[in-house]
Each structure stands twice: as structure tokens, then as C-alpha cells.
Amino acid sequence: MAQTRIVTLDLNFQGRPQAIASYLIRPAGGDGAVLIESGPGSTLAALEAGLAKEGLSPRDVTHVLLTHIHLDHAGAAGWLARQGAEIYVHPVGAPHMLNPDKLIASATRIYGDRMESLWGEFLPVPEDQLKVPKDAEEIVIGNLRFLPINTPGHAEHHYAYLFEDVCFSGDVGGVRIPGYQYLRIPMVPPELHIARWHESMKRLRQEKFARIAPTHFGIFDDPEWQLREVEKALDDAERWLEQTMSEDPSIPIEVARESFTEWMTEQGTEMGLSEDVIAAYQLANPPGMSADGLLRYWKKVKSAG
Ligand SMILES: [Zn+2]
């Protein structure tokens, strides 16, 4: 069988390498190109440069598969649709791709006037270019086959995609930087659900793949280690949450953010990471956001019984 190629495009987010990836898949001998993740609107220049290195222009991108609709994964999808690509997304995320107003408004509440420089423009995807596969409904593109796997936990509308021996794990498979046997999980609001995340890990364990490719960042050949680390990190976070909330049920959010960030920094230091590497992990996955997500999960799910 002809070989397909998978190329990691480094989107060089905020001038930092290895923070956000888009994965380019080129069918052997075939036309066109498939991307897993578009990246945000702010990194289009890096995306174009990465494609150019492969002899491609954005107009050659025929299909974009999004793991979920968060800005760092899906922000540039509308722009790629304008260049002619079809965009694939989870059914629950689809309305926000057609009309991103609510998504942009809620991100603006978080990022304020840093919105533009961080994320750039988020254009809507025209309805006739938006494809909404069901869970485990095979996506066939020429001789390429992708299997979307419903994997909530990080977000309700999250797919991991299986392709040949690779699992493109989006954010549900955690965040790692090449060269370090260390993983963190992005527990952002508003949909963080630790119990569902555990279910998603069980689901992925039932599938067969030899490599795993989180969007943050790179293709790794130890998927079992990675899934186990995600589960451990979920358990650790839940313990932190229970302890923090039992000590002070009305803990101010600023204090929780600080305490969680400190805890993560200590953990990184214990693992032998330099300050620079810890900063890189924080850029790909801000710990303050995870504190927000955890506290919201506590109020919405855990204390609701
Ligand atoms: Zn995300």
C-alpha cells in the first residue's frame, strides 16, 4: 500500500515553538491535503509557511478535521473554508462554527483586549462546507480513512481521530512537550467533566494505535504511558479540588488560581523541568484556567450531587 505522510506543522504560537500543532496528512500520489486542527486565526502566517515548505498553499487544503472548537484548535477553520476546505466537527460544536458569536463573546470576557493578538479572527464556516460526522462514523477522503471517537471531558464536543496507527487526541490526551516524560491536562471551563474524561480514556484504551498526537504538541510512540498519565493527572486534580474546597468552600478564585499554579510549578520542578520548560507548559496550558475549570466543575457537578 502506498505510504501517506504525516507532517507536524508548528504554528509557533506567540513566538514559541512546540505549543500548538496542526497536522498535515498528504495522501500518497493523491491531490490535496488534510489538516487535523486549523490552529487559531493568529497563526495563519505560520500555517501558510508550513504548508509552503511542503509545496502547498492554503487553497490546496481540501479537508480540516477539528478535535473541538476551542480557539487554539479551530480559530482559523472559517478562513480555510473561504479558501475552499471542508470542515469536520463534532455535532455539539457545529452550531458554533456556523455562528461563532457566542464563542467569541465568551472568549472576549476572558481575554479582553488581548483577544485579537492572542487568537486573531474567527470566521464562520458556511453551512455547505461544514461536515458533522457521528461518533465512530468513518470519514473517507480519497484513500484515507479517519475514525472520530467521541471523547468528552475536556469539552462536551470533543473528538479524537484515529488514522492508521495514530490517535490525534486533541486536548483529551493531555499536553506534552517533546523531550520530557511529563504531561499536564487542560481543565478549562465551562465543560470540564472529570468523570466523563475518565470514560473517554477507557474508550480510547479499547482502540488500537501505536502513536498518539496531542495538539500540544507532537507525535509520541508511548500512547499507553500517555493515557495512564492523563488518568493519574485527573485523579490528582480531583484530590486537589476536594482538599481545597473542604479547607475553604468559599475560596476566592484568585487564591485558587494561585494555589493551583504553585502546585503545578512544584510538580514540574520535582520532575526536573527548568523554568523555561515550565513556562512553555504554561503557555500551552495556563494553570489558572484549570483552576477556573475545576472550581466550576465543583459547583456544577460535584456539589450538585
Ligand atoms: Zn481545548
Side-chain angles (χ1 to χ4, degrees):
M1 222 178 84
Q3 277 294 112
T4 50
R5 281 183 63 221
I6 303 175
V7 182
T8 305
L9 305 178
D10 191 334
L11 300 182
N12 218 20
F13 179 61
Q14 303 291 296
R16 279 274 197 168
Q18 304 187 322
I20 302 177
S22 166
Y23 295 102
L24 166 67
I25 298 164
R26 303 195 66 180
D31 287 334
V34 178
L35 291 180
I36 309 282
E37 316 284 45
S38 66
S42 57
T43 56
L44 274 172
L47 181 69
E48 287 199 64
L51 289 169
K53 256 194 198 165
E54 295 296 315
L56 297 168
S57 86
R59 294 202 157 270
D60 297 314
V61 176
T62 50
H63 304 78
V64 182
L65 278 56
L66 303 171
T67 61
H68 63 303
I69 63 169
H70 290 163
L71 304 181
D72 49 335
H73 298 253
W79 187 87
L80 285 162
R82 284 201 185 169
Q83 317 307 309
E86 285 185 346
I87 312 297
Y88 289 71
V89 72
H90 190 290
V92 178
H96 300 284
M97 298 309 295
L98 296 172
N99 178 2
D101 289 354
K102 259 173 77 179
L103 191 68
I104 294 167
S106 73
T108 304
R109 280 197 293 278
I110 298 171
Y111 299 106
D113 54 11
R114 292 163 62 227
M115 191 64 191
E116 178 65 28
S117 66
L118 277 173
W119 307 117
E121 201 175 12
F122 195 122
L123 297 171
V125 175
E127 195 162 9
D128 59 350
Q129 283 170 274
L130 192 67
K131 306 289 162 192
V132 187
K134 294 193 197 79
D135 180 21
E137 180 188 355
E138 196 170 53
I139 301 165
V140 181
I141 300 170
N143 55 5
L144 309 179
R145 284 156 192 279
F146 299 85
L147 199 66
I149 306 287
N150 189 36
T151 39
H154 168 78
E156 275 301 299
H157 61 276
H158 192 290
Y159 274 153
Y161 294 101
L162 301 182
F163 171 73
E164 297 185 347
D165 70 338
V166 184
C167 171
F168 293 98
S169 58
D171 277 349
V172 83
V175 171
R176 326 171 49 175
I177 295 175
Y180 304 95
Q181 205 67 7
Y182 179 63
L183 172 143
R184 285 185 183 181
I185 48 176
M187 295 175 287
V188 300
E191 295 175 342
L192 169 71
H193 198 297
I194 290 179
R196 283 190 197 134
W197 199 327
H198 271 296
E199 289 302 311
S200 294
M201 292 300 97
K202 276 191 202 144
R203 174 97 193 263
L204 286 181
R205 278 175 186 288
Q206 289 163 7
E207 305 291 341
K208 270 204 164 58
F209 46 89
R211 295 185 287 164
I212 189 161
T215 304
H216 321 282
F217 179 102
I219 305 176
F220 300 88
D221 58 9
D222 54 2
E224 280 181 22
W225 179 86
Q226 184 164 330
L227 297 183
R228 204 170 51 239
E229 280 305 299
V230 170
E231 288 170 334
K232 273 200 240 166
L234 287 169
D235 289 339
D236 287 349
E238 199 158 24
R239 266 197 299 277
W240 177 89
L241 184 60
E242 269 159 18
Q243 197 187 331
T244 302
M245 298 316 284
S246 69
E247 278 167 14
D248 179 3
S250 54
I251 184 170
I253 185 65
E254 297 77 19
V255 179
R257 281 180 194 146
E258 206 172 300
S259 143
F260 188 83
T261 304
E262 225 167 80
W263 178 51
M264 281 289 107
T265 304
E266 269 167 31
Q267 190 192 68
T269 311
E270 269 168 35
M271 292 297 292
L273 305 187
S274 68
E275 270 176 39
D276 211 42
V277 175
I278 291 173
Y281 271 93
Q282 299 210 7
L283 179 73
N285 176 23
M289 294 276 281
S290 286
D292 291 4
L294 283 164
L295 259 61
R296 185 164 171 133
Y297 177 62
W298 181 266
K299 290 195 186 96
K300 205 169 71 174
V301 182
K302 297 279 282 186
S303 57

